[in-house]
Amino acid sequence: MDEFTTGANKRLRRNQVLTVAWVLMWVGAILLIACWLTKLWFQMVIPLTPVCLAALGLGLGLFVIGRRLH
């Protein structure tokens, strides 16, 4: 492989990691906000699921890793 295709593959991989990170962060944040709004508006307590916190944490981790890839 020449240098151009190697660089293009790295950029593609970095963009894929960042896209997955953004999706996971959005999903985690929406679930957190939904739990908070449900408690605020309807006085119902919906427990935070581990999936919500895991999505947010994994998204943040992948975001940091994706920003570090050059």
Side-chain angles (χ1 to χ4, degrees), residues 15-70:
N15 288 339
Q16 288 172 340
V17 168
L18 287 175
T19 301
V20 170
W22 277 110
V23 168
L24 287 172
M25 285 192 295
W26 271 100
V27 168
I30 287 171
L31 289 173
L32 282 175
I33 291 170
C35 288
W36 178 72
L37 286 177
T38 304
K39 182 179 178 182
L40 182 71
W41 289 343
F42 304 113
Q43 286 77 34
M44 292 174 53
V45 176
I46 297 176
L48 293 175
T49 61
V51 173
C52 168
L53 299 175
L56 193 58
L58 186 61
L60 287 172
L62 282 176
F63 183 75
V64 169
I65 290 170
R67 297 294 289 176
R68 294 268 178 187
L69 292 176
H70 292 295

Side-chain angles (χ1 to χ4, degrees), residues 4-19:
F4 176 74
T5 56
T6 304
N9 287 338
K10 279 186 173 183
R11 283 191 304 274
L12 180 64
R13 185 174 301 122
R14 178 178 183 259
N15 288 339
Q16 288 172 340
V17 168
L18 287 175
T19 301

